[in-house]
Amino acid sequence: ALAQSLYPSVALLVHGLAETTPSLTMLLMEGEARLERLRVGLRFHQANAELVWDATSASDETVLTVTDGIRRSVWRSSEGVVTLNTGQGDAPQRRSNGNLERMLAEFCQVALGRALPVATAREGFAAVAVTDWLLQKMAERGAPFERPGAPRHVASPHWRD
């Protein structure tokens, strides 16, 4: 579930900065039994980025701030409403009932030749790789990903121990 929350922000960075190898400048995690708050600092060649994720808030919200020394942009996703602030107030971005619904609709438009892809396959793979790298860094620093008493949610007997 955390990867699904982090991936859209990472995908924005990879697409917007055209870079796939950040360095980790900050990693703050809160929560004992489960991750409640996350603050990540990333350094790309062109810019710094800070990602804030809070599972304790009343809304499902992710905030991504990118600075390049001159400009500061804040992307906020909260309850399906996405805004971008580049210093002139919040500008609404597209609203959807979910990323999956939007991605499938865009895929259909591209497959039918009615639109160009929003991102390349290379950017998609890079975003997955950076998200996995970030989750690995979090695990190395003791993120509470494992819950020993949690029920297993696997329906297929083949995948059970």
Side-chain angles (χ1 to χ4, degrees):
L2 181 59
Q4 290 173 329
S5 295
L6 295 177
Y7 177 82
S9 300
V10 172
L12 276 175
L13 288 171
V14 169
H15 178 71
L17 299 175
E19 292 188 49
T20 60
T21 54
S23 59
L24 190 63
T25 60
M26 171 182 50
L27 179 57
L28 303 172
M29 299 177 290
E30 294 179 23
E32 300 263 337
R34 66 180 185 91
L35 190 62
E36 295 176 351
R37 288 185 189 89
L38 172 67
R39 188 172 174 189
V40 178
L42 299 171
R43 173 75 184 135
F44 289 84
H45 183 267
Q46 300 172 0
N48 292 316
E50 180 179 89
L51 172 65
V52 177
W53 178 78
D54 187 351
T56 64
S57 68
S59 66
D60 178 20
E61 183 172 83
T62 304
V63 179
L64 174 65
T65 304
V66 179
T67 56
D68 66 1
I70 300 169
R71 294 177 305 268
R72 180 175 186 266
S73 300
V74 180
W75 174 86
R76 180 181 311 273
S77 174
S78 180
E79 298 298 323
V81 176
V82 178
T83 59
L84 177 64
N85 187 325
T86 57
Q88 300 172 349
D90 289 341
Q93 304 297 297
R94 63 181 156 210
R95 178 183 172 86
S96 69
N97 292 332
N99 285 331
L100 182 59
E101 179 181 322
R102 179 183 50 78
M103 287 188 296
L104 287 173
E106 288 176 0
F107 175 79
C108 287
Q109 293 300 309
V110 171
L112 293 170
R114 297 178 185 160
L116 294 173
V118 175
T120 65
R122 183 176 304 229
E123 288 171 339
F125 288 127
V128 168
V130 173
T131 302
D132 286 345
W133 170 81
L134 182 55
L135 291 169
Q136 179 183 353
K137 293 294 182 186
M138 293 169 62
E140 289 171 4
R141 298 198 183 173
F145 291 147
E146 298 294 326
R147 297 183 312 160
R152 293 180 183 238
H153 297 287
V154 178
S156 173
H158 176 74
W159 292 102
R160 294 183 188 153
D161 290 339

